[in-house]
């Protein structure tokens, strides 16, 4: 396998942007600057980045409560993201959504979701629309190991399988659902094993290896575009950060996590891979990283300065004017 | 005017809208092969193909969720709930997704989705197949809720609902499907959010909707015989409620009775009564009466089921009580 | 395999009672005597009978909209069943439930259910209670092929598997969900294949062979009692009658159904089996059948004569007096 | 009297009831390892073992359904909803099973099940983690619904709920958990179905519950400064509503304001207002005022979230309006 340098740079940019963005968010939250809750994607960057590198702006994704990484990987702009997390008027959702509800419809990012398992059926619907319109678009539904126990998982995958819809179900198995370890709530070793029950293909990949994710997604997405129906992909990873920023993490030791992260950091994995293979140079990577750090800082600066929504924004966006009403 | 059934009226609405806009499609259980339990989808697959009239798995959560997703991706889905009683199965999708997405995402999208839900009591269908649950949805910002009482409204409101860019719940009473009534030729929409004064009157205002409108009109006839002139308002839309029409009627009649088949406690009648008690109390010459089902699940036995349904005589008595 | 004559007689009694009861119900409904809807179990008698012959009155079952057969097989009395279906005061539920809501808590029959897929989680709860109380009771959840696409299927089986609960999930795959053929809504050949996704054993049996059902259930129930956790059993059968009495059945030909029934009637299968093997005599079977016909007729007679509930029954049974209230 | 937090008060209730009756157990997400998001289950697994304090999969439908099944099989489950917002996920279980089973089956069984659901607005938790949804359940016969406003009630109502043989929904406001307040030593239950007159008064009745009781009492203090004597009623139970206490207060004060954090339209206030407008209108000297959230999903930004919360000044203004 070999990749174009441009492609690799873009991939690195995605992953580093997620990492830097999330580190900054964690810092800001602990500093008391951010309202709401935030859930960080640090340590899982390879998954969203690997998947979304196969998608165009026409394709759809649905996301989760841990959605910043999906947004960035799908191509969202970090300025309105940051502004949204600050609750500012200039945010993607004009400050109405916040961290758990960022969407960017212009790039097919159909939204983070505060309801665990709320995204499956939306992705199925988007895929159904694509199939009806014959557009060759696909939809990717990101979900966690915890979310895999919601009934929506079952209804959505069954429907997608029965109708051969172009949707990829992408399980980010980070071993934890909040404070609850994966194997205490699920009797099966791999979520991917569930594909058998729907007659669809599945794949288990190392979620900390962006190339592995990219290649698996490529096959599944190609298949979906060609009318071959859904695939269930399970990306094995580990939740490096607390469930949310501020989580006391009484349920595991810091050492355990630190060791895991040092041994298997998707970003480090990428860097050592591309350097070892001579695909990119250290200097390039550093340059990218520096630039992104600046971008993130700039996003914070402007978000800080941006105004909060005006009071009269409270009632807007609840209903849109409809054609029929205008005519009535 | 020509007469067709309520069911046929909804079919015309579907046909015309599916013809007009190829983004409109419908999905639900047993709607293609069977044509719907009440014949309300009959013939549509023949006209539009099973790609646009889709039999689904028994997965109400996915049906509604996929409707939402398809709406976000540019389609105009109509989803069928089979029985309104099953809306609990997909309540999260209605409450937390359908109703909130547009607002939560700062108006980035529209949600042109219609959920059709046959409701109400028929023939001892018992506790899990007889409910009228519209009141829940009054309390959920972001939804619109319509509920026709007759054939013409069935058509006009369904067409309006399908053309809305906001999510609309369309409740259709099971006992109405076979009823015949006049429907104008050609296309027409009935505006969402406007109540209809079904009968003008001056002594008392009776507000109702859906099947109970028929009881209300019966009662109004009987009352006319006693010299009481009742104004009968058909809400047509439950959310948003047409306060203006209600208030001007109450300003005129000074007496108000609200009638619905749903459980009285916490029903739509409560909201209307409260609106009037808040903004129009000085106009009132009598207590505001509500008629609705007693506070029990709907029992199976015909001898008990009969007791939870409101009849015209009960409405007459309620009016008499506040008109003496 | 060989069986005690008493056991075989009891088995036959169950199956014939279901058949006769259901034939009578169909007749009464078409005659306009019954309120509500009725869904008949004719052609599926072997399933409930085979399973429930492994259960005691302490064990639990949850049932479906097509519940008469489950009731009878679990040991319910057909008099109060018939009275309930007539809507009479003497019915199991005092006329408040009707055909779709018959229960008999004295024998662990936790109720038919008008919500398709509503029973799974109740069975899991009953099994959880049994496990907590260490009573060795088991719970059997009956459900249809159509119901297998509800999210509750997934949540319930996953929970039962994760907690190793004594519950048997028994799929009656009669090929139809109302007017919709099984394979149009489900991409997988066998519902039983889904067991893999939960790490539990499964079994596919001929649902028209009561001995096959009995033996499969025996293994699963024994396993559950011993703490081995849930099993998913799929009993393959065919819905001989319309979805409900009065169903015009436009979606299939009468001939197709008739042929199927003649070739593979669980009751006939039983009779020819036991006669061929010399386990029971024709005369005995006839005698049982005659007696049951009389019992069913007697049930109809008394149900007809029984009173409807009084008006003041409307408000009773909504709430029970609680200890705490009495003390307050 | 000793002071403990609301969270600790619920813990005492749980502990005492689990001690008293081994059939009582609790299940929900992240309650054993974490002790609940708000610490409301802390220490229970250590005391009673993880067999009776059970961490579940993320499967609200199964959590509630299994609670129902366990109740039918003789246990007394307490199930935790994590956030009240997720009740839509298991709404069918609440609406069609939990509430109806005892009635539908003719009283063959009991349903000693408690569903705890943290609700309300805290710190920009946004549209899907901030709702107050109690009004839905007022409209469902077969349920009881309690909603404490303070530490002592938190304990007494939870204990009463656990001892009930009927299904009880127990809503606990997230912002209340850390609040300290006096709680009597020893065991006590607070009867379900009885409202509490938190402050006597004669000029106006303010009815509220949950967190908003604190605003109502603040407002009453301010009003006292202006010479207006407000009677403040804490409903404690939403269903069944304590009509007697409400009616006798209104008979005395002749003025009524109802306050809740939930969306005003279709909220609990509507039912109370309608009850009074139906049975007590002749006593009233002024319109019935309702204060509740505006008709929008709860927005994230602090600048907007603030606008959907009711404060004491708004209550004061509402009272002033009807007391002039
Ligand atoms: C329906 C629902 N139930 C519970 C929650 C609370 N909750 C938020 S995140 C979470 C854990 C999710 O675990 P997983 O799906 O594995 O995703 P991860 O956090 O590991 O990325 C829970 C229980 C919720 N938001 N929605
Ligand atoms: C949640 C829900 N959705 C839809 C229905 C309507 N309905 C009743 S029975 C049925 C078909 C059930 O099929 P299956 O589970 O295979 O059982 P069978 O009737 O074949 O025994 C449907 C769709 C319902 N009662 N509940
Ligand atoms: Mg996880
Ligand atoms: Mg079937």
């Amino acid at each position: 396998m070999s990749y174009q340098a441009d492609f690799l740079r873009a991939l690195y940019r995605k992953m580093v942007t997620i990492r830097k963005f999330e580190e900054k968010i964690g810092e800001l939250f602990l500093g008391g600057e951010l309202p709401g809750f935030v859930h960080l994607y640090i340590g899982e960057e390879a998954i969203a980045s690997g998947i979304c590198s196969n998608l165009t702006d026409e394709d759809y994704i649905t996301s989760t409560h841990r959605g910043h990484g999906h947004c960035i990987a799908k191509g969202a702009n970090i300025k309105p993201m940051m502004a949204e997390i600050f609750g500012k008027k200039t945010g993607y959702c004009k400050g109405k959504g916040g961290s758990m509800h960022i969407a960017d419809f212009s790039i097919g990012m159909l939204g983070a979701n505060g309801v665990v398992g709320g995204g499956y059926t939306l992705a199925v619907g988007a895929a159904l629309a694509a199939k009806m319109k014959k557009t060759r678009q696909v939809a990717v539904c990101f979900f966690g190991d915890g979310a895999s126990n919601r009934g929506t998982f079952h209804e959505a995958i069954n429907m997608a399988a029965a109708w051969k819809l172009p949707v990829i179900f992408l399980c980010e198995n980070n071993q934890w659902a909040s404070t609850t370890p994966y194997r205490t709530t699920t009797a099966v070793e791999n979520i991917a094993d569930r594909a058998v029950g729907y007659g669809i293909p599945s794949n288990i990949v190392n979620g900390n290896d962006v190339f592995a994710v990219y290649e698996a997604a490529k096959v599944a997405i190609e298949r979906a575009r060609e009318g071959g129906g859904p695939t269930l992909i399970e990306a094995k990873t580990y939740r490096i950060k607390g469930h949310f920023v501020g989580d006391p993490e009484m349920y595991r030791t810091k050492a355990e996590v630190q060791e895991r992260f040092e041994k298997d950091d998707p970003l480090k994995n990428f860097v050592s891979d591309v350097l070892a293979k001579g695909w990119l140079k250290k200097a390039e990577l550093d340059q990218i990283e520096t630039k992104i750090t600046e971008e993130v800082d700039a996003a914070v600066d402007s978000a800080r300065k941006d105004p909060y929504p005006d009071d009269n924004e409270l009632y807007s966006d609840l209903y849109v004017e409809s054609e029929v009403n205008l005519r009535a | 005017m020509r007469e067709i059934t309520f069911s046929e009226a909804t079919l015309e609405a579907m046909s015309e809208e599916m013809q007009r806009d190829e983004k409109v499609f419908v999905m639900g259980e047993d709607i293609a092969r069977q044509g719907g339990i009440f014949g309300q989808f009959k013939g549509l697959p023949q006209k539009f193909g099973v790609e646009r009239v889709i039999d689904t798995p028994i997965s109400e959560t996915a049906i509604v969720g996929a409707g939402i997703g398809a709406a976000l991706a540019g389609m105009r889905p109509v989803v069928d709930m089979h029985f309104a009683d099953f809306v609990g199965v997909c309540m999260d999708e209605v409450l937390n997704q359908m109703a909130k997405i547009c607002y939560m995402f700062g108006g980035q999208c529209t949600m042109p989705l219609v959920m059709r839900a046959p409701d109400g009591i028929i023939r001892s269908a018992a506790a899990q197949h007889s409910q009228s649950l519209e009141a829940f949805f009054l309390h959920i910002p972001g939804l619109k809720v319509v509920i026709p009482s007759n054939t013409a409204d069935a058509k006009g409101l369904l067409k309006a609902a399908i053309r809305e860019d906001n999510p609309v719940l369309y409740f259709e009473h099971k006992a109405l499907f076979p009823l015949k009534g006049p429907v104008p030729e050609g296309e027409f929409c009935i505006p969402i959010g406007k109540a209809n004064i079904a009968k003008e009157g001056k002594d008392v205002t009776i507000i109702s909707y859906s099947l109970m409108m028929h009881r209300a009109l019966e009662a109004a006839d009987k009352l006319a015989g006693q010299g009481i002139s009742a104004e009968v308002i058909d809400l047509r839309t439950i959310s948003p409620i047409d306060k203006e029409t209600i208030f001007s009627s109450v300003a005129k009649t000074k007496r108000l009775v609200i009638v619905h088949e749903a459980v009285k406690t916490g029903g739509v009648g409560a909201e209307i009564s409260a609106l009037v008690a808040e903004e129009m109390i000085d106009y009132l010459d009598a207590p505001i009466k509500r008629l609705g089902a007693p506070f029990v699940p709907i029992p199976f036995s015909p001898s008990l089921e009969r007791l939870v349904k409101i009849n015209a005589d009960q409405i007459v008595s309620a009016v008499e009580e506040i008109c003496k």
Side-chain angles (χ1 to χ4, degrees), chain A, chain B:
Chain A
M1 214 49 84
S2 117
Y3 302 92
Q4 301 278 318
D6 270 359
F7 171 84
L8 293 168
R9 271 182 227 111
L11 205 51
Y12 187 60
R13 209 172 290 125
K14 274 190 208 302
M15 290 205 287
V16 177
T17 307
I18 299 174
R19 177 68 54 93
K20 296 285 167 197
F21 187 87
E22 294 290 69
E23 284 173 350
K24 182 58 77 178
I25 292 289
E27 202 183 301
L28 291 166
F29 190 89
L30 290 175
E33 258 191 279
L34 301 180
F37 311 94
V38 289
H39 304 86
L40 300 183
Y41 197 67
I42 287 174
E44 308 184 26
E45 296 90 345
I47 303 173
S49 303
I51 304 291
C52 293
S53 297
N54 286 286
L55 302 177
T56 75
D57 285 357
E58 306 304 312
D59 293 319
Y60 298 109
I61 66 167
T62 62
S63 168
T64 68
H65 56 288
R66 198 177 299 289
H68 306 163
H70 308 137
C71 274
I72 292 171
K74 190 71 176 50
N77 185 328
I78 61 168
K79 264 200 181 170
M81 279 183 67
M82 187 62 82
E84 187 60 36
I85 295 168
F86 269 84
K88 298 300 179 79
K89 190 178 175 160
T90 47
Y92 262 117
C93 312
K94 306 179 186 164
K96 284 175 174 153
S99 163
M100 257 193 295
H101 309 289
I102 302 183
D104 181 352
F105 280 73
S106 71
I107 54 164
M109 159 61 191
L110 301 183
N113 210 316
V115 177
V116 167
Y120 297 112
T121 61
L122 309 191
V124 166
L128 174 61
K131 183 174 180 175
M132 294 180 87
K133 297 197 270 184
K134 302 196 175 63
T135 53
R136 294 176 51 89
Q137 292 160 289
V138 303
V140 176
C141 168
F142 290 96
F143 65 97
D145 49 298
S148 76
N149 296 326
R150 282 272 336 264
T152 45
F153 169 95
H154 180 66
E155 294 199 3
I157 301 188
N158 178 64
M159 185 179 269
W163 296 351
K164 276 193 176 291
L165 300 181
V167 53
I168 292 22
F169 297 97
L170 198 293
C171 180
E172 304 179 311
N173 189 340
N174 64 9
Q175 311 299 325
W176 293 95
S178 189
T179 67
T180 306
Y182 166 58
R183 283 308 300 277
T184 62
T185 56
T186 314
V188 75
E189 181 70 29
N190 308 299
I191 297 295
D193 298 347
R194 292 184 170 163
V196 174
Y198 308 101
I200 63 167
S202 68
N203 204 335
I204 298 175
V205 295
N206 176 355
N208 290 357
D209 175 351
V210 70
F211 299 110
V213 175
Y214 174 78
E215 295 300 336
K218 193 185 176 96
V219 174
I221 289 169
E222 213 44 57
R223 183 187 158 90
R225 283 204 209 287
E226 298 305 327
T231 301
L232 173 58
I233 299 178
E234 177 172 6
K236 302 276 194 187
T237 182
Y238 189 85
R239 204 192 67 220
I240 293 302
K241 292 289 168 178
H243 174 53
F244 50 86
V245 178
D247 181 354
E249 293 182 70
M250 309 297 284
Y251 44 87
R252 59 183 191 183
T253 66
K254 284 244 178 317
E256 176 189 325
V257 179
Q258 210 41 47
E259 194 195 316
R260 185 76 161 79
F261 194 38
E262 268 157 30
K263 252 197 353 230
D264 195 11
D265 171 349
L267 209 54
K268 278 200 207 143
N269 293 347
F270 174 92
V271 171
S272 54
D273 255 29
V274 296
L275 293 181
K277 299 208 165 107
W279 288 342
L280 293 178
K281 300 210 183 59
K282 179 81 170 56
E284 288 184 277
L285 296 178
D286 290 347
Q287 209 183 341
I288 291 174
E289 191 181 329
T290 310
K291 180 138 179 301
I292 288 170
T293 307
E294 287 164 15
E295 283 170 19
V296 169
D297 288 341
V300 174
D301 278 351
S302 59
R304 277 192 180 125
K305 283 184 220 128
D306 286 343
Y308 283 105
D310 305 326
D311 287 7
N312 61 20
E313 272 289 323
L314 181 65
Y315 288 100
S316 61
D317 303 320
L318 182 60
Y319 297 106
V320 294
E321 277 300 332
S322 300
E323 183 203 350
V324 59
N325 283 341
L326 293 176
R327 289 186 313 95
Chain B
M1 210 183 292
R2 75 200 172 110
E3 300 228 329
I4 60 175
T5 66
F6 187 99
S7 192
E8 287 161 352
T10 65
L11 265 171
E12 281 192 4
M14 293 293 296
S15 266
E16 290 172 12
E17 294 304 308
M18 290 181 77
Q19 197 76 58
R20 178 179 184 263
D21 185 346
E22 61 177 21
K23 296 197 289 301
V24 178
F25 73 98
V26 53
M27 58 180 165
E29 294 154 20
D30 304 303
I31 67 174
R33 273 180 201 79
Q34 186 185 43
I37 312 182
F38 309 101
Q40 75 272 43
F41 299 102
K42 222 155 221 154
L44 289 182
Q46 288 72 25
K47 262 196 199 152
F48 300 102
V50 289
E51 297 76 26
R52 289 178 69 197
V53 184
I54 309 174
D55 273 345
T56 63
I58 305 180
S59 303
E60 286 79 8
T61 315
I63 295 168
V64 174
I68 296 168
L72 292 178
M75 301 297 286
R76 306 186 71 84
V78 177
V79 296
D80 178 57
M81 255 303 101
H82 218 68
F83 284 80
D85 306 73
F86 308 147
V87 71
V89 172
C90 49
M91 189 66 168
D92 183 63
E93 281 61 33
V94 175
L95 172 68
N96 283 328
Q97 313 292 341
M98 188 195 294
K100 295 185 170 53
I101 280 179
C102 296
Y103 185 83
M104 213 159 56
F105 295 156
Q108 286 186 60
C109 56
T110 60
M111 182 67 62
L113 175 66
V114 180
M115 184 169 116
R116 292 180 61 175
D119 67 359
I121 297 172
I122 36 157
R123 261 206 103 239
S124 286
Q128 293 173 337
H129 287 76
S130 301
Q131 293 167 92
S132 293
L133 299 172
E134 66 280 358
F136 290 154
F137 305 100
L138 182 75
H139 192 50
I140 305 179
L143 303 176
K144 298 193 176 187
V145 185
V146 301
I147 187 158
S149 69
N150 62 52
T151 46
D153 288 6
K155 178 169 179 181
L157 285 171
L158 184 51
K159 285 173 69 81
I162 295 172
R163 292 191 197 178
E164 265 280 342
D165 286 334
N166 300 296
V168 183
L169 310 194
Y170 179 96
F171 288 102
E172 37 201 343
H173 197 292
K174 300 194 280 285
L176 289 174
F177 283 117
L179 288 197
K180 278 203 161 192
V183 177
E185 298 283 349
E187 299 212 18
F188 63 95
C189 288
I190 291 181
I192 293 176
K194 278 294 298 161
N196 177 39
I197 301 178
K199 179 186 166 305
E200 294 206 10
K202 58 181 186 38
D203 299 329
V204 60
T205 300
I206 304 177
I207 296 180
S208 192
Y209 53 86
S210 190
L211 182 67
M212 285 302 115
M213 267 302 293
H214 298 260
R215 304 295 158 269
L217 289 168
E218 253 182 78
D221 270 356
K222 293 191 184 197
L223 288 164
Q226 298 171 220
I228 297 176
S229 155
E231 176 141 308
V232 185
I233 295 180
D234 184 348
L235 278 186
R236 282 181 171 165
T237 297
I238 296 297
S239 183
I241 281 181
D242 180 359
K243 287 199 331 185
E244 277 162 43
T245 302
I246 295 172
F247 285 2
S248 34
S249 180
V250 169
K252 178 169 69 175
T253 65
K254 304 186 169 20
R255 288 179 167 82
L256 177 59
V257 174
I258 309 150
V259 186
H260 50 61
E261 188 178 298
V263 168
K264 176 179 169 181
T265 305
V268 171
E271 177 60 25
I272 296 172
S273 174
L275 284 172
V276 171
E278 190 155 14
E279 301 188 41
M280 299 289 293
I281 204 164
D282 291 341
Y283 290 88
L284 288 176
D285 281 348
I288 303 171
K289 285 271 169 192
R290 291 181 293 159
L291 293 173
F295 199 64
V296 291
I298 294 163
F300 168 73
S301 181
S303 78
L304 296 176
E305 191 198 49
R306 164 181 76 78
L307 303 175
V308 303
K309 293 196 277 193
I310 307 297
N311 59 42
D313 288 340
Q314 287 168 286
I315 304 174
V316 168
S317 306
V319 169
E320 283 170 351
E321 248 182 83
I322 59 170
C323 282
K324 38 172 203 226

